[in-house]
């Protein structure tokens, strides 16, 4: 007797594909988030072009500031430890120079008397001094790790070291994102899976959903890497977003599969195919809406949002294909069972109610919260990126109090175009320097006048002109320091400002405009502006613009899609009105509660709108099926809601379970991302189950 060959089921091959994709991603995809000072912008952005021009004309290096506090910073013990710290920091790779009380000024007394060194190295309250570390190259991970080890080795009770500076802040953000990507994304996926298993009560469906969604995520990461895209400050959450998009298709397909099992034989070979056909039209239009939503981010200048837009479009397409290619074999393999929610199914009389008062309350609440849109803060303080009462935040705050923690660079020239190497120009620049230091948001200022004032302290300096002094300071003997403060033809000078983040209650670009006005009052015009402070302000402006333009164009496009899906003016208007409640509540609530809307948490709105559109389209297609079966008006909406409510509730419950884990992050932007999505899911649930049916099908007068 000839034995038949044993053939593996299709679901086993799909599991093998998932394993293969996992191996390819592990081998070929760099999963480290890429974060640097200029990562926030595309190379065509005016802010980046201006910053690059500034760097070319006035070469400078990124600085890390160590503020070292003690009871007596003039003691020999303190200065000895400062010297030891300075020497050890010099041995770190990527460190090009170090300035401190023992590396620069002749002595502590010399530093106190010097207009230049006192501003650069000594805090106004004289309770701490600075060690300024100049770094080269963009690699910050290893130098910062080495620096942290040195700090921990040398720190004592009366020798406290506090750290700040762009390279350190960038590394801390990168480290937080990498931690959350490894732990919280994985934990969120596990929670998604466990919630799916609990609701659908099927190990086979659980394995199928997990395999399909994981494959979609892995394939998206692999394709992104092949296209030269790295994981960035926003695409670090792309895996979770793609997982959700794929899972949404599967939830509705599985629910329809359960519904059809009550109408057809459970053993029917066509059950999985019928569920796929029933779900496909709504899934297709959900794909279109989600893709358009992410594509709207491609037109903004903020690089992280554009990266998310590209990755979102790619991930949406991959998730759709994966859902309809990879999941069907698992539906054929599984046996339909009633879920927990089916067992507690509300009666038909419950869904026949209009819930007019509840819907009216939701609408009024949304309108009230909507007034908070004008209060949304897209330009949060740098300190808001880190948790209070932690070592990192405490260090930043200490440095901030000691002279400012966020650098800003102004390049000015005389309004009449005259040169800046004369006595008259020196006096005017000194006046501008004092005015800048007296401005509320400015801490320490280092400029050409302070450098020349240091030169004036040398013997017989009165015999040397300011032009000759500048030429001397451009020599290697003086580390070419003048080149960082004045250009070759002496028509432009640099003012280096450290901005105080604790006083941040005004938009950064408005602050920069104020500084331009101060320069004009003193006879100068601002030629260039650069530094992290300015780039943050520009980024905040772009985030605000993206929220407005992105939501506007998404609503414009959704009007046409709503008409195609609803096939009626009233249905389309009801869909648009219900969708509008989601961003109104989310962004308005953020404004009223003064929640910082940084670039990392801003995409939470897009995620929730995508979920809301998805649920809405599936509900409307359920209504259309009821209309084809002879139901009209309100009865069709009752039938559609009765058919699709599980899918809407399932998706929100599963997504809420996954996103809840982000609230446990130590990184506030990730926390805000998770909490904002959770709030949006609640609004989505209420809007789709109660407001949309009332607006779309309720009969106001009985016939």
């Amino acid at each position: 007797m000839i034995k038949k060959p044993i053939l593996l089921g299709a679901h086993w091959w799909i599991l093998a594909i998932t394993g293969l994709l996992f191996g390819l991603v592990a081998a070929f995809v760099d999963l480290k988030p890429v974060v640097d000072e200029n990562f926030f912008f595309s190379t065509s952005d005016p802010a980046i072009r201006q910053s690059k021009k500034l760097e070319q004309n006035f070469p400078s290096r990124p600085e890390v500031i160590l503020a070292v506090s003690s009871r007596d910073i003039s003691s020999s013990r303190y200065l000895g430890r400062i010297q030891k710290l300075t020497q050890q920091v010099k041995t770190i790779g990527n460190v090009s120079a170090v300035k401190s009380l023992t590396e620069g000024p002749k002595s502590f007394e010399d530093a106190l008397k010097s207009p230049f060194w006192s501003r650069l190295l000594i805090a106004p309250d004289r309770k701490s001094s600075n060690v300024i570390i100049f770094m080269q190259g963009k690699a910050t991970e290893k130098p910062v790790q080495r620096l942290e080890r040195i700090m921990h080795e040398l720190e004592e009770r009366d020798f406290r070291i506090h750290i700040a500076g762009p390279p350190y802040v960038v590394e801390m953000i990168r480290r937080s994102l990498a931690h959350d990507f490894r732990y919280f994304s994985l934990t969120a996926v596990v929670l998604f899976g466990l919630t799916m298993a609990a609701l659908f009560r099927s190990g086979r469906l659980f394995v199928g959903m997990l395999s399909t969604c994981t494959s979609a995520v892995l394939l998206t990461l692999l394709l992104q890497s092949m296209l030269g895209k790295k994981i960035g400050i926003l695409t670090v959450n792309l895996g979770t977003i793609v997982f959700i998009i794929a899972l949404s298709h599967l939830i509705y397909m599985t629910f329809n599969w359960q519904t059809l099992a009550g109408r057809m034989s459970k053993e029917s070979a066509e059950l999985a195919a019928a569920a796929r056909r029933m779900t496909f039209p709504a899934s297709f239009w959900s794909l279109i809406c989600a893709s358009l939503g992410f594509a709207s981010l491609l037109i903004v200048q903020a690089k992280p949002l554009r990266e998310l837009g590209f990755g979102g479009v790619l991930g949406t397409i991959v998730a759709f294909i994966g859902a309809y290619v990879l999941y069907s074999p698992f539906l054929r393999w599984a046996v339909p069972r009633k879920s927990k929610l089916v067992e507690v199914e509300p009666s038909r009389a419950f869904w026949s109610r209009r819930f007019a008062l509840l819907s009216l309350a939701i609408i009024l609440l949304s309108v009230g919260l909507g007034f908070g849109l004008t209060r949304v803060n897209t330009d949060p303080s740098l300190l808001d990126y880190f948790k209070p009462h932690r070592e990192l935040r405490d260090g930043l705050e200490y440095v901030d109090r000691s002279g400012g923690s966020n650098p800003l660079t102004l390049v000015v020239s005389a309004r009449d175009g005259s040169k800046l190497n004369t006595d008259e120009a020196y006096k005017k620049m000194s006046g501008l320097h004092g005015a800048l230091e007296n401005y509320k948001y400015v801490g320490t200022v280092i400029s050409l006048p302070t450098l020349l004032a240091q030169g004036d302290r040398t013997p017989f300096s009165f015999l040397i002109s300011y032009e000759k002094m500048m030429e001397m300071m451009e020599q290697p003997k003086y580390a070419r320091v003048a080149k960082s403060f004045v250009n070759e033809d002496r028509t432009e000078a640099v003012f280096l400002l450290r901005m105080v983040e604790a006083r941040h209650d005004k938009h950064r670009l408005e602050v920069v405009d104020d500084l331009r006005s101060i320069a004009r009052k003193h006879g100068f015009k601002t030629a260039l502006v650069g530094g992290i402070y300015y780039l943050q302000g520009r980024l905040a402006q772009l985030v605000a613009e993206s929220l407005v333009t992105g939501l506007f164009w998404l609503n414009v496009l959704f009007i046409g899609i709503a008409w195609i899906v609803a096939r009626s003016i009233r249905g389309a208007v009801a869909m648009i009105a219900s969708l509008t409640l989601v961003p109104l509540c989310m962004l308005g609530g953020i404004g009223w509660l003064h929640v910082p809307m940084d670039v990392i948490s801003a995409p939470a709105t897009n995620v929730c709108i995508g979920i809301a559109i998805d649920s809405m389209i599936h509900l409307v297609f359920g209504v259309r099926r009821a209309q084809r079966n002879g139901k009209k008006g309100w009865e069709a909406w009752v039938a559609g809601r009765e058919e699709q409510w599980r899918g809407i509730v399932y998706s929100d419950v599963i997504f809420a379970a996954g996103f809840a884990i982000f609230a446990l992050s130590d990184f506030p932007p990730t926390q805000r991302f998770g909490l904002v999505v959770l709030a949006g899911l609640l609004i989505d649930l209420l809007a789709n189950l109660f407001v949309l049916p009332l607006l779309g099908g309720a009969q106001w007068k009985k016939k």
Side-chain angles (χ1 to χ4, degrees), residues 527-565:
L528 295 171
V529 181
I532 297 299
Y533 186 88
Y534 176 64
L535 292 179
Q536 274 187 280
R538 173 66 177 157
L539 179 65
Q541 182 186 50
L542 295 178
V543 169
E545 289 175 357
S546 72
L547 287 173
V548 174
T549 57
L551 293 175
F552 172 77
W553 285 111
L554 183 59
N555 275 300
V556 169
L557 295 167
F558 186 62
I559 290 172
I561 294 172
W563 166 254
I564 295 171
V565 172

Side-chain angles (χ1 to χ4, degrees), residues 490-509:
R490 311 303 191 233
T491 57
E492 292 181 342
V494 172
F495 286 75
L496 301 176
L497 287 67
R498 282 167 53 192
M499 309 301 289
V500 181
E501 287 292 314
R503 302 171 190 164
H504 179 68
D505 57 7
K506 190 175 184 179
H507 198 287
R508 285 179 170 83
L509 295 186

Side-chain angles (χ1 to χ4, degrees), residues 12-33:
W12 295 114
W13 288 107
I14 292 169
L15 289 173
I17 291 172
T18 304
L20 176 62
L21 287 172
F22 185 83
L24 291 173
V25 168
F28 299 108
V29 179
D30 183 7
L31 296 177
K32 272 189 178 181

